[in-house]
Amino acid sequence: MAGNEQTEYDDIPGTFIFDAAKARRGYGINDFCMTLLKAENRDKFRANEAEYLKQFELNAEQTEAILKRQWNRMLELGGNIYFTAKLGATDGLSFQQVAAKMTGSTQEEYAAMMLNGGRPVEGNRSKSEWENKNG
Amino acid sequence: MAKIIASVCCSHVPAIGAAIDLGKTEEPYWTRVFSGFEKSKKILEELKPDVCIVVFNDHATAFSMDIVPTFALGCAAEYAPADEGWGPRPVPVVKGHPDLSAHIAKSVILDEFDLTVVNKMEVDHGLTVPLNLVFGSPKEWPCPVIPLAVNVVLFPPPTGRRCYNLGKAIRKAVESYPEDLRVVIMGTGGMSHQISGPRAGLINSDFDKAFLDSLAGDASHAMNLQHIEFMREAGAEGIEMVMWLVARGAMDEKVVEKYRFYTVPASNTAVGHIILENAA
């Protein structure tokens, strides 16, 4: 049963499920992001990003994703949106601006989509629907 | 004897807090949202609660990935508004009700809900935005608040049914408290939204409306929704709606819908709101 359930979650397109295994893998990313709640740490990070990241439990891929602001990649590697949003805040980005980046649209396009009622659920329930759309 | 007099549910979008703090509430985008809460403020004024129990989730503020409690009950005398990266929100310190908190903790744990007791916690927009929506922006909050933090960040959160039953246990606890207190229980978060990944921006108004209808009527539809349905149909972060079920569970099976409001969007999120009282 557990196996089937996992497949069901995996089938939701464009969505990362943040469970305990992910949280373990991404502990360093989220641990780093928590430190950005303090203004002095935000300043230290900005002064030398690569150096600042050395104090956390991060592998090379995770470090790269943070430095390059690969917002989806960070989530894939165990980051959680409520934590990575603090990196967004450090960069002066709102939640909506970070969300726009993850969807590959501009802030204007994304805001317009939301004003028009958001992304509809039709066509966005299963990965097969996304493959059909792109193929 | 203390008594739960109403259940009040609403979204807790951070951008709503920012709009209040930055004085943008008169802008057309935001009047659409705030006008829906004018009536609620009047209703809450009439209800005159002595205490509010606010079911909310922390957004990586008080709880990092070091410790993730599923249900954490605030038992402190006060809770300071947290700095979420932009400085603390300019809202009053949230005063607690330690005696009632301790009573609820004891009663609910003996009722087999293994709560975490919290004696120090800063509270983020998840708690303060709903207070603004129903009480406005006073110098002091009109009554003490008992925060109940529910994990909805790390999958899996508690099930809707578990939340509903916890609400029942909280009601039992409140009703065995000797002092005459009028208690309002608030469920916060939701409604449909996804703020993470390439599918961000998902909204499902049909799902939301069915959820509201179920809360106002026979709660079994809302209570029996599975996590996969919340996440697929209402967005990865739509799962926050399980917290509304704690508030619903604290009511009778039959309730009266006193007020409802729904609008899309506030930032990334569908804003929903409902006020329920027990049927006479």
Side-chain angles (χ1 to χ4, degrees), chain B residues 13-91:
Chain B
V13 187
I16 294 177
I20 295 168
D21 301 344
L22 302 172
K24 291 184 178 171
T25 55
E26 301 298 320
E27 292 178 7
Y29 182 97
W30 288 111
T31 50
R32 176 177 47 83
V33 174
F34 288 106
S35 63
F37 289 88
E38 285 309 312
K39 188 163 177 200
S40 324
K41 288 180 197 159
K42 289 201 182 83
I43 294 173
L44 266 293
E45 246 178 68
E46 283 163 19
L47 284 173
K48 283 197 187 23
D50 296 310
V51 182
C52 273
I53 298 170
V54 181
V55 185
F56 79 112
N57 70 285
D58 176 79
H59 302 76
T61 306
F63 301 112
S64 65
M65 277 300 129
D66 291 359
I67 297 176
V68 186
T70 295
F71 294 114
L73 186 74
C75 294
E78 59 178 48
Y79 310 89
D83 182 347
E84 297 175 58
W86 299 269
R89 292 196 61 215
V91 293

Side-chain angles (χ1 to χ4, degrees), chain A residues 42-84:
Chain A
R42 295 196 286 271
D43 291 341
K44 273 187 212 157
F45 171 64
R46 285 193 199 99
N48 188 339
E49 295 197 356
E51 189 58 35
Y52 187 84
L53 291 179
K54 282 183 187 160
Q55 56 186 311
F56 303 98
E57 184 190 320
L58 296 165
N59 62 32
E61 258 184 308
Q62 292 170 325
T63 302
E64 187 190 14
I66 294 168
L67 291 175
K68 294 190 172 163
R69 304 297 193 271
Q70 295 165 333
W71 300 100
N72 285 321
R73 188 87 181 118
M74 280 184 248
L75 302 186
E76 248 173 80
L77 298 174
N80 172 273
I81 184 62
Y82 294 116
F83 294 76
T84 57

Side-chain angles (χ1 to χ4, degrees), chain B residues 79-134:
Chain B
Y79 310 89
D83 182 347
E84 297 175 58
W86 299 269
R89 292 196 61 215
V91 293
V93 167
V94 177
K95 306 275 189 210
H97 195 301
D99 284 349
L100 181 56
S101 284
H103 175 81
I104 292 173
K106 187 167 158 188
S107 170
V108 165
I109 290 169
L110 291 176
D111 228 349
E112 302 185 342
F113 288 86
D114 312 317
L115 295 188
T116 299
V117 167
V118 181
N119 280 304
K120 186 169 182 176
M121 173 167 66
E122 292 190 342
V123 289
D124 69 17
H125 69 269
L127 184 117
T128 57
V129 165
L131 292 182
N132 282 130
L133 286 174
V134 300

